[in-house]
Amino acid sequence: WLKNQICDNDPESSDSEEVRAANCERDATLIWAWIVAIFCIGGMMGGSLVGIISSRLGRKGGLLLNNILVLVATLLMGLAKTANSFQMLIAGRLVIGINAGLNAGLAPMYLAEIAPINLRGAVSTLVTMIEMIHADLV
């Protein structure tokens, strides 16, 4: 779908068929690279916002805000093909990256707050270990 959308943008180009195919392949690879990489950029942005969000909204409020980000990202990515817009994919991946960065910081803090005093260290460590294992599996 993505390749077809990119290649159909300029059907009346004066370039030869081989040049158009090469340009199409290059452009599709570049856009796909952006779609993949923007998640990490969003993660860095979200991770940088953890302190601000947790101090202004609290840990629970920040996690509730995170649910809204998931909804926005889901809509953007889910409707991208219907809207015929790869830009929506990029925006959705950015938003879900911000969500992941916020979640990586807020969830351990919230769980440490609600855990019994004798289990706080174990709960926080366990969350971080599960996040690392999940990242390796994905």
Side-chain angles (χ1 to χ4, degrees):
W1 163 74
L2 181 65
K3 197 177 231 182
N4 288 337
Q5 183 187 9
I6 294 165
C7 295
D8 291 342
N9 281 346
D10 193 16
E12 298 177 10
S13 175
S14 62
D15 294 333
S16 70
E17 187 66 32
E18 292 174 358
V19 171
R20 269 196 289 162
N23 287 343
C24 173
E25 187 70 33
R26 182 198 66 220
D27 292 347
T29 302
L30 179 66
I31 290 170
W32 187 253
W34 269 104
I35 290 170
V36 171
I38 201 76
F39 177 85
C40 296
I41 295 169
M44 289 186 291
M45 292 167 59
S48 300
L49 293 172
V50 168
I52 295 167
I53 298 293
S54 67
S55 65
R56 290 201 178 153
L57 301 175
R59 280 73 160 151
K60 186 177 180 181
L63 288 171
L64 290 172
L65 170 73
N66 236 5
N67 293 333
I68 295 169
L69 292 178
V70 169
L71 180 64
V72 169
T74 302
L75 289 173
L76 284 168
M77 291 186 287
L79 297 174
K81 190 172 181 181
T82 305
N84 205 23
S85 170
F86 67 85
Q87 293 91 344
M88 286 175 68
L89 274 177
I90 294 172
R93 294 273 298 174
L94 177 68
V95 172
I96 202 69
I98 293 170
N99 167 272
L102 281 170
N103 196 46
L106 290 172
M109 284 194 289
Y110 179 69
L111 290 173
E113 281 184 356
I114 65 169
I117 293 174
N118 60 337
L119 295 176
R120 282 191 182 166
V123 168
S124 297
T125 304
L126 185 63
V127 170
T128 305
M129 282 184 7
I130 290 171
E131 286 175 353
M132 290 191 314
I133 291 169
H134 182 264
D136 287 340
L137 295 176
V138 175

